[in-house]
Amino acid sequence: MTIQEVARHAGVSAATVSNFFNWPDRLSTGMAERVRSAVDELGFVPNMPARQLRTSRSGMIGLSVINASNPFFAEMVVAVEHAATEKNLSVMVGSTHESPQQQRQYLRMFEQFRFDGIILTPFDDNLQQAHEIAARGTPVVLVDRTDDEGLLPSVGTDHEAGGYLAARHLIEQGCRRLWFVSGPRQVQQMVRRLRGYQKAVDEAGNVSLEVLEFPDLDVGFGREAGRQIADRDPQDRPDGVFGGNDLQAIGIVAELVDAGVDVPGEVAVIGYDDIVFAATTARPLTSIRQPSREIGAAAAEMLFERLLSPSTPAQQQLFQPELQVRASTRR
């Protein structure tokens, strides 16, 4: 079945049917409904490879995130999908799970299938592949990573400021033996959060800091950190703990409570992201909020701008984190 047959059935031109699939904003509501009815009645499915040859557009956006099961990234994905739908675009999501090999594979696939653009949450500092893809003509927007060369636009949060907020809050609650429970050090968000955390500790002068690194940012490793804290003599335990993200912090709190450690009386715990579950746990979690939906929407808008005007200078948009105080630290 061809576009011409759909056009005859709908009583419109073939160009009108083409506009329906490629530039729907050019059609009136009545005309679009007329074509849609014909498409549904005939069961017509457009030939996407042929469409790409005609328009040089796939109608697809590639979105590569570190871990799509993390509620922060899940919220960001929803925002990108919503913005893309408004532009009649679809989104394919890839989750790299802290694997540079997986990231390279997704980026290669997005480019090979001629996706219109890519939104990338990089795993590490290596942006060579992203630079090469952009140089070949596929726009790339970074999330949570600034391009030091200024070639790629980016959207993110000031993680150093977030780490500083976390430490200052714990210190203000009277904590003097601080821990930072980190994910992989290759994840730049962890590096920046630790940098800000360390800065507040240094400023305080009478506060110690210990860093505990785990290979992933999930509840399971949070529980492992909680076990290590609970197994220590009470005099040697940290009295303030910053989880690398909310999932880790939730695991820490759960394990400490199960072990009979008073949270926050003996150990205050703060997380990062302010995911939807943070306020609903048995011990509501204090967290550093970064606006996931706003970040996703901003990244999508930057990508749309690059699609319309590829020569637009790369913009950098940085959101400021916010402290959300709840029962896990309130003494």
Side-chain angles (χ1 to χ4, degrees):
M1 186 174 295
T2 65
I3 279 182
Q4 286 73 19
E5 292 176 77
V6 175
R8 284 195 296 270
H9 191 81
V12 300
S13 68
T16 298
V17 178
S18 177
N19 285 339
F20 174 81
F21 288 110
N22 298 312
W23 300 280
D25 56 324
R26 296 181 181 180
L27 302 183
S28 67
T29 302
M31 187 62 73
E33 187 56 40
R34 193 169 168 180
V35 177
R36 184 180 293 105
S37 295
V39 168
D40 291 343
E41 289 169 12
L42 296 175
F44 175 74
V45 178
N47 184 321
M48 294 306 294
R51 174 186 174 185
Q52 281 185 258
L53 288 174
R54 290 193 304 271
T55 66
S56 299
R57 297 280 295 273
S58 68
M60 294 290 297
I61 291 174
L63 173 56
S64 174
V65 298
I66 293 176
N67 188 346
S69 65
N70 183 318
F72 168 77
F73 290 113
E75 289 283 308
M76 190 187 80
V77 168
V78 168
V80 172
E81 288 177 333
H82 179 75
T85 298
E86 294 292 317
K87 300 292 185 180
N88 201 37
L89 297 169
S90 299
V91 181
M92 178 174 284
V93 181
S95 185
T96 63
H97 300 286
E98 290 91 23
S99 166
Q101 293 81 11
Q102 192 70 35
Q103 178 177 297
R104 285 194 294 270
Q105 182 176 336
Y106 279 126
L107 293 180
R108 188 163 52 246
M109 181 189 71
F110 293 157
E111 185 181 25
Q112 288 173 349
F113 279 89
R114 301 296 189 266
F115 280 21
D116 295 340
I118 297 170
I119 297 174
L120 168 66
T121 302
F123 170 70
D124 56 20
D125 277 336
N126 188 352
L127 298 177
Q128 180 180 349
Q129 187 181 14
H131 283 144
E132 292 171 351
I133 290 172
R136 288 191 290 263
T138 301
V140 179
V141 173
L142 305 178
V143 173
D144 253 0
R145 171 70 169 84
T146 301
D147 180 13
D148 294 337
E149 297 183 32
L151 300 175
L152 303 176
S154 68
V155 182
T157 302
D158 188 341
H159 293 290
E160 185 170 340
Y164 184 86
L165 281 176
R168 285 302 312 166
H169 175 66
L170 291 173
I171 292 167
E172 288 169 359
Q173 297 303 303
C175 301
R176 293 297 177 266
R177 299 184 303 278
L178 299 189
W179 272 25
F180 178 62
V181 181
S182 172
R185 291 291 184 91
Q186 301 97 315
V187 178
Q188 285 306 298
Q189 295 89 325
M190 295 297 104
V191 174
R192 296 196 292 270
R193 290 171 199 175
L194 176 57
R195 188 182 300 137
Y197 201 67
Q198 181 72 63
K199 180 181 178 182
V201 168
D202 292 342
E203 287 180 358
N206 60 342
V207 178
S208 64
L209 172 60
E210 186 172 339
V211 179
L212 196 62
E213 182 179 349
F214 287 101
D216 205 348
L217 291 156
D218 61 16
V219 173
F221 284 114
R223 278 192 167 272
E224 173 59 29
R227 279 191 288 274
Q228 293 191 32
I229 295 169
D231 287 345
R232 287 197 174 193
D233 184 275
Q235 300 303 314
D236 294 329
R237 288 175 186 157
D239 54 5
V241 178
F242 179 27
N245 67 2
D246 282 347
L247 295 178
Q248 275 193 335
I250 288 170
I252 292 168
V253 171
E255 191 65 30
L256 291 177
V257 170
D258 287 350
V261 177
D262 181 12
V263 177
E266 295 178 74
V267 182
V269 181
I270 186 171
Y272 200 102
D273 290 337
D274 197 32
I275 62 175
V276 66
F277 306 116
T280 60
T281 57
R283 195 66 48 88
L285 181 69
T286 294
S287 184
I288 304 298
R289 179 179 183 271
Q290 55 172 337
S292 54
R293 292 213 176 206
E294 291 91 332
I295 288 171
E301 287 302 321
M302 276 192 183
L303 185 61
F304 301 152
E305 289 177 11
R306 300 290 273 192
L307 290 173
L308 291 173
S309 180
S311 61
T312 301
Q315 303 175 18
Q316 317 296 331
Q317 184 172 353
L318 201 61
F319 288 89
Q320 290 302 308
E322 299 176 357
L323 174 66
Q324 305 293 318
V325 180
R326 301 189 180 97
S328 68
T329 62
R330 191 182 288 120
R331 289 177 166 175

